Amino acid sequence: MPFCDEQLTRLKPLWTRMLGHRFLTETRDGAMPDERFAVWMRQDYLFVEAAIPFIAALIPRAPRAHWSPLAGVIAALEKELQLFEERAAAVGVTLRGTPAAFTNHAYIQFLMATAYRASYAEAYTVLYAAEKAYHDSWKVVRAGLDRESKWHPLVENWAGDAFAQYVGYLEGELNALAEQAGADERTRMGEYFELTTKYEIAFWEMAATGEDWPGCNSQ
Amino acid sequence: MPFCDEQLTRLKPLWTRMLGHRFLTETRDGAMPDERFAVWMRQDYLFVEAAIPFIAALIPRAPRAHWSPLAGVIAALEKELQLFEERAAAVGVTLRGTPAAFTNHAYIQFLMATAYRASYAEAYTVLYAAEKAYHDSWKVVRAGLDRESKWHPLVENWAGDAFAQYVGYLEGELNALAEQAGADERTRMGEYFELTTKYEIAFWEMAATGEDWPGCNSQ
Amino acid sequence: MPFCDEQLTRLKPLWTRMLGHRFLTETRDGAMPDERFAVWMRQDYLFVEAAIPFIAALIPRAPRAHWSPLAGVIAALEKELQLFEERAAAVGVTLRGTPAAFTNHAYIQFLMATAYRASYAEAYTVLYAAEKAYHDSWKVVRAGLDRESKWHPLVENWAGDAFAQYVGYLEGELNALAEQAGADERTRMGEYFELTTKYEIAFWEMAATGEDWPGCNSQ
Amino acid sequence: MPFCDEQLTRLKPLWTRMLGHRFLTETRDGAMPDERFAVWMRQDYLFVEAAIPFIAALIPRAPRAHWSPLAGVIAALEKELQLFEERAAAVGVTLRGTPAAFTNHAYIQFLMATAYRASYAEAYTVLYAAEKAYHDSWKVVRAGLDRESKWHPLVENWAGDAFAQYVGYLEGELNALAEQAGADERTRMGEYFELTTKYEIAFWEMAATGEDWPGCNSQ
């Protein structure tokens, strides 16, 4: 079985938990308060921005054939940031000025540490798993979202066909990397897949609860 | 004012919150259940182990005069691991086999990402702040701990004179690095100091609550 | 005095030696045999390609305001590669299939090691010095080159106005970084400037002599 | 065939060229002028020092079981530096104050760039090939060297049994890494083996000719 199918099968319970997260279902059902959604927007804006140096750090460790596609991902991330800014302006949300919440900061550190320290195939696993998670998660939201919703353009960005095609490309490349990998590296790739899924779930949890740095908010 | 004094003054409320964390006061007062302390031991064992590659990653970016002291830190960390193993054996705790909890995993990623990506002076700030936090925190515990406590040797390791001397050495070096730094870098060093303190607090919180990956335990 | 002026003054003898290198003057005067120029083309094609991961590795260590300009440099390098391919096709030179000569390999290692290990301002110094060296060197060639020369489009690429503007932008940014740097870092930036100039001279020397790996060619 | 045997067979002509280099044979035969040998000593002192950050950079990318052995290599390199200093003092050579020659600088950049950018197995290949090259090269010298030679302690350091044992350990580990590697990675490991051998030959050539930065000395 190709690596991605194998992992998505192995991690089915975790993946299902992610797709059923109340942040997604409540957004889908129009039950998410605007201010709570805005909290997510501000954090995700920071996360998308932080993905740029992650992708850049992959390039020197990537095979030559991946350099241009990865540079293309950087350009796509810059466009995503503009989409956030356009949406935020349209609905009156102030995007900038909020520091990264704990889970967001942690996830960003995980991206960067992996880009530098892990093997390229391991780091590419994180890239794929994060993008696949976003695609599948926002498809859950799109399935029930009012098309007139002010969040629709953001949802469509990740749930739509262009993003699906991009995720499909990543999947093919990751399967090829996994085929070239030795048994130990392939096992570690699976561990990175699982870790990324857990960070994704933590991210939805942060968005739903408004969590911040542990031990710093409570009195 | 030297950089470290300046930061410890600026971050006093955060530092005080850290030193007053219930994990420390309850351990000091003998009110910490053994099983809860064992949870901390297993996590901190993983963290100390993970500090080895963090220190190693600093060496290529350090001035020549820091190479031997940093290699000495690696040796000291290996000894700390032995101390954990010796204590664990003495009290019947199984150290190995537990995966890193969320906050622990996140903190380790922060160390590694910083070692690779930040300037050397910024990364050295993280090293100092983490060691200073440990020294001060365990001095809180030692102040009231029964000397016959089975945890005493661990507490003494960080609260004792040898560690105090090491922290003093780091402080002198960090102050010197800050003096050489430009204004912008010095500001970023302060941000890293604050972030490290917040990760330290999150670590005590994790130890006190037995928290695990957000959104993965509930149900 | 701004940092770049200061260094170009300090390193004047070295810079003059570079600009007077016979590879440049003979190319300018139409005295460079095609096959020798083709040797340079093949090596420089490899070097331009290798500059892509160098730039990518800078992004995660750069201030946010540099991310887009650096991504723009990657795009410009891809265009330079196409220019090489177009020129090579036009004059019947086979670009690919030649391994990096010793000096070329070494220079590429210097770029990558610096991107990862040095401070950002130090690594940016290498970027500026290399681009400034190219601009000035090819202006020497352009000054006397027959405009009908088949090499003219390549020469114009680096000697022309667009490239001049780009080098001017880098100069402004590097001067700003140097102003923010402490005294020690500024000294090291000067050392990197000098080293880069020496690698540039070595590169022209390699092109002029057809040098390969030392001790490997002689019988 | 184990990876190391396979490579040493494949690269036999290059390896033979290295072992027959006149720097080695003339040193063996007592025909090497002291001042020429001192040039090598000063350069190799810089190279051994630069190997410390190379080894340190490997640790975060190494499997856990390699951390202590690699820390041990750092300690061994510090001892080698002391041996150089002791020998230099004994024979009246000033070790410090000479900048790295071109080939030396280049080789050091190759080490660092590889440690950061290549896979761990590829970087470990460079470590093994460099140490194996030193062991075999100095055995050539020891075979004919007067035991009363003032250089004997240096020669013995790399030609002796302790170093042989260390090289044997590296060989076993590298063979194991190669067995775990996929086909593409294994091919790249072979390329790194070859490159390292070529840098070693270039190093002897530099020592024999007193070469410096190309294009900078002539006139």
Side-chain angles (χ1 to χ4, degrees):
Chain A
M1 202 192 300
F3 175 74
C4 295
D5 288 344
E6 175 193 293
Q7 293 302 317
L8 289 167
T9 304
R10 181 177 79 85
L11 299 170
K12 181 107 189 190
L14 211 52
W15 204 258
T16 302
R17 178 183 286 269
M18 177 181 77
L19 297 185
H21 197 282
R22 65 191 160 104
F23 182 80
L24 299 173
T25 54
E26 291 177 18
T27 301
R28 176 194 64 199
D29 302 339
M32 180 63 60
D34 280 5
E35 188 37 48
R36 171 75 46 230
F37 195 81
V39 167
W40 170 80
M41 274 184 79
R42 290 186 197 102
Q43 291 300 324
D44 206 54
Y45 183 73
L46 291 172
F47 185 78
V48 169
E49 191 174 52
I52 293 173
F54 167 64
I55 300 295
L58 293 185
I59 291 176
R61 312 192 53 215
R64 176 66 178 104
H66 278 199
W67 295 3
S68 291
L70 288 170
V73 175
I74 292 177
L77 290 167
E78 294 279 13
K79 265 195 203 158
E80 268 187 21
L81 291 176
Q82 286 166 19
L83 178 63
F84 271 91
E85 287 158 16
E86 181 267 322
R87 265 308 81 193
V91 302
V93 164
T94 306
L95 269 187
R96 294 167 194 272
T98 308
F102 177 64
T103 294
N104 197 5
H105 193 271
Y107 195 177
I108 293 167
Q109 308 307 305
F110 171 59
L111 291 186
M112 293 310 306
T114 302
Y116 280 115
R117 192 183 180 193
S119 81
Y120 178 68
E122 289 157 18
Y124 204 84
T125 304
V126 173
L127 171 60
Y128 168 72
E131 299 292 40
K132 171 71 170 164
Y134 247 51
H135 182 54
D136 283 10
S137 293
W138 290 108
K139 277 200 296 187
V140 168
V141 175
R142 189 179 62 171
L145 188 70
D146 187 338
R147 301 217 46 160
E148 302 305 310
S149 161
K150 56 193 167 193
W151 311 124
H152 196 271
L154 271 176
V155 173
E156 187 58 27
N157 178 61
W158 294 296
D161 287 348
F163 204 82
Q165 211 161 6
Y166 162 55
V167 170
Y169 161 77
L170 293 177
E171 184 163 325
E173 295 304 303
L174 183 56
N175 283 335
L177 288 168
E179 263 175 57
Q180 284 173 26
D184 287 13
E185 188 177 19
R186 200 175 156 117
T187 300
R188 288 194 303 272
M189 289 168 72
E191 291 163 2
Y192 274 101
F193 206 119
E194 183 167 353
L195 277 167
T196 308
T197 311
K198 287 163 83 177
Y199 270 105
E200 286 290 332
I201 293 171
F203 204 91
W204 296 133
E205 188 74 6
M206 169 199 75
T209 63
E211 156 256 59
D212 209 341
W213 291 74
C216 282
N217 303 321
S218 59
Q219 203 47 35
Chain B
M1 200 190 305
F3 174 74
C4 294
D5 288 343
E6 177 191 293
Q7 293 304 315
L8 290 167
T9 304
R10 182 176 80 85
L11 300 170
K12 181 107 188 186
L14 211 52
W15 205 259
T16 302
R17 180 184 285 269
M18 176 182 77
L19 297 185
H21 197 283
R22 66 189 160 105
F23 182 79
L24 299 173
T25 54
E26 291 177 17
T27 302
R28 176 194 64 200
D29 302 338
M32 181 62 61
D34 280 6
E35 186 38 47
R36 170 76 44 229
F37 195 81
V39 165
W40 169 82
M41 275 185 78
R42 287 185 199 103
Q43 292 297 325
D44 206 54
Y45 183 75
L46 291 172
F47 185 78
V48 170
E49 191 173 52
I52 293 173
F54 167 63
I55 300 295
L58 294 184
I59 291 177
R61 312 196 49 216
R64 176 66 177 102
H66 278 199
W67 295 2
S68 290
L70 288 170
V73 175
I74 292 177
L77 290 167
E78 293 279 13
K79 266 194 202 157
E80 268 187 20
L81 291 177
Q82 287 165 18
L83 179 62
F84 270 91
E85 287 158 15
E86 180 267 322
R87 264 308 80 191
V91 301
V93 164
T94 306
L95 270 185
R96 295 167 193 272
T98 308
F102 177 64
T103 294
N104 196 7
H105 193 270
Y107 196 177
I108 291 167
Q109 308 306 305
F110 172 58
L111 292 186
M112 293 311 305
T114 303
Y116 280 115
R117 191 184 179 193
S119 80
Y120 178 68
E122 289 158 16
Y124 204 82
T125 303
V126 173
L127 171 60
Y128 167 73
E131 299 290 41
K132 172 71 170 164
Y134 247 50
H135 183 53
D136 284 10
S137 293
W138 290 107
K139 277 202 295 188
V140 168
V141 175
R142 190 179 62 171
L145 189 70
D146 187 338
R147 302 215 48 158
E148 303 305 310
S149 160
K150 56 193 166 193
W151 312 123
H152 196 271
L154 271 175
V155 173
E156 188 58 27
N157 177 61
W158 294 296
D161 287 348
F163 204 82
Q165 212 161 3
Y166 161 57
V167 170
Y169 160 79
L170 294 176
E171 184 164 325
E173 295 304 303
L174 183 57
N175 284 334
L177 287 168
E179 263 175 56
Q180 285 174 26
D184 287 13
E185 188 178 19
R186 200 176 156 117
T187 300
R188 288 194 303 271
M189 289 167 73
E191 291 164 4
Y192 276 102
F193 205 119
E194 184 168 351
L195 277 167
T196 308
T197 311
K198 287 163 82 178
Y199 271 106
E200 286 289 333
I201 293 171
F203 204 91
W204 297 134
E205 188 73 8
M206 167 198 77
T209 62
E211 155 256 61
D212 210 341
W213 290 75
C216 284
N217 304 320
S218 61
Q219 193 74 4
Chain C
M1 200 190 304
F3 175 74
C4 294
D5 288 345
E6 177 193 293
Q7 292 304 315
L8 290 167
T9 305
R10 181 176 80 85
L11 300 170
K12 182 107 188 186
L14 210 53
W15 204 259
T16 304
R17 179 183 285 269
M18 177 182 76
L19 297 184
H21 197 282
R22 65 190 160 104
F23 182 80
L24 299 173
T25 54
E26 291 177 17
T27 301
R28 176 193 65 200
D29 301 338
M32 182 62 61
D34 280 5
E35 186 39 46
R36 171 75 45 230
F37 195 80
V39 166
W40 169 82
M41 274 185 78
R42 288 184 199 103
Q43 292 299 324
D44 207 54
Y45 182 74
L46 291 172
F47 185 78
V48 170
E49 191 174 51
I52 293 174
F54 167 63
I55 300 295
L58 293 184
I59 291 178
R61 310 196 51 216
R64 176 67 178 100
H66 278 198
W67 294 3
S68 290
L70 289 170
V73 175
I74 291 177
L77 291 167
E78 294 278 14
K79 266 195 203 158
E80 268 188 21
L81 291 176
Q82 286 165 17
L83 179 63
F84 270 92
E85 287 158 16
E86 179 268 322
R87 264 309 80 192
V91 302
V93 163
T94 306
L95 270 186
R96 294 166 193 273
T98 308
F102 176 64
T103 294
N104 197 6
H105 193 271
Y107 196 177
I108 292 168
Q109 308 306 305
F110 171 58
L111 292 186
M112 292 312 303
T114 302
Y116 280 115
R117 191 185 179 192
S119 80
Y120 178 67
E122 290 158 16
Y124 204 83
T125 304
V126 173
L127 171 59
Y128 168 72
E131 299 291 40
K132 172 71 171 164
Y134 247 50
H135 182 54
D136 284 10
S137 292
W138 290 107
K139 277 201 296 188
V140 168
V141 175
R142 190 180 60 172
L145 189 69
D146 188 336
R147 300 215 48 157
E148 303 304 311
S149 160
K150 55 193 167 194
W151 311 124
H152 197 271
L154 270 176
V155 173
E156 188 58 27
N157 177 61
W158 295 295
D161 287 347
F163 204 81
Q165 212 161 4
Y166 161 56
V167 170
Y169 160 78
L170 293 177
E171 184 164 324
E173 295 304 303
L174 183 57
N175 284 334
L177 287 169
E179 264 174 57
Q180 285 173 26
D184 286 14
E185 188 177 19
R186 201 176 156 116
T187 300
R188 287 194 302 272
M189 288 167 73
E191 291 164 3
Y192 276 102
F193 205 119
E194 184 167 353
L195 277 167
T196 308
T197 312
K198 288 162 82 176
Y199 271 106
E200 286 289 333
I201 293 171
F203 203 92
W204 297 134
E205 188 74 7
M206 168 199 77
T209 62
E211 156 257 60
D212 210 341
W213 290 75
C216 283
N217 303 321
S218 59
Q219 204 47 36
Chain D
M1 202 192 302
F3 175 74
C4 294
D5 288 344
E6 175 193 294
Q7 293 303 317
L8 290 167
T9 304
R10 181 177 79 86
L11 299 170
K12 182 109 189 186
L14 210 53
W15 204 259
T16 302
R17 179 184 284 269
M18 177 182 76
L19 297 185
H21 197 281
R22 65 190 161 104
F23 182 80
L24 299 173
T25 54
E26 290 177 19
T27 301
R28 176 194 65 199
D29 301 338
M32 181 61 61
D34 280 4
E35 189 38 48
R36 172 75 43 230
F37 195 81
V39 166
W40 169 81
M41 273 185 80
R42 289 186 197 102
Q43 292 298 325
D44 206 53
Y45 183 74
L46 291 172
F47 185 78
V48 169
E49 192 174 50
I52 293 173
F54 167 63
I55 300 294
L58 293 184
I59 291 177
R61 310 193 53 215
R64 177 65 179 104
H66 278 200
W67 294 3
S68 290
L70 288 170
V73 174
I74 292 177
L77 291 167
E78 293 280 13
K79 265 195 203 159
E80 268 187 20
L81 291 176
Q82 287 167 17
L83 178 64
F84 270 92
E85 287 158 15
E86 180 267 322
R87 264 310 80 193
V91 302
V93 164
T94 305
L95 270 186
R96 296 168 192 272
T98 307
F102 177 65
T103 294
N104 198 5
H105 193 271
Y107 195 177
I108 292 168
Q109 308 307 305
F110 171 58
L111 292 186
M112 292 311 306
T114 303
Y116 280 115
R117 192 183 180 193
S119 80
Y120 178 68
E122 288 157 18
Y124 204 83
T125 303
V126 172
L127 171 60
Y128 168 72
E131 299 291 40
K132 171 71 170 165
Y134 248 50
H135 182 54
D136 284 10
S137 293
W138 290 108
K139 277 200 296 187
V140 168
V141 175
R142 190 178 61 171
L145 189 69
D146 187 337
R147 303 217 44 161
E148 302 305 310
S149 161
K150 55 193 166 193
W151 311 123
H152 196 271
L154 271 176
V155 173
E156 187 59 26
N157 177 61
W158 294 296
D161 287 347
F163 203 82
Q165 212 161 6
Y166 161 56
V167 171
Y169 160 78
L170 293 177
E171 184 164 325
E173 295 303 304
L174 183 56
N175 284 334
L177 287 168
E179 263 174 56
Q180 285 173 26
D184 286 13
E185 188 177 19
R186 200 176 157 118
T187 300
R188 288 194 304 271
M189 289 169 71
E191 290 164 4
Y192 275 101
F193 205 119
E194 182 166 353
L195 276 167
T196 308
T197 310
K198 287 162 83 177
Y199 270 106
E200 286 290 332
I201 293 171
F203 204 91
W204 297 132
E205 188 74 6
M206 168 199 75
T209 63
E211 156 257 59
D212 209 341
W213 290 75
C216 283
N217 304 320
S218 61
Q219 193 74 359

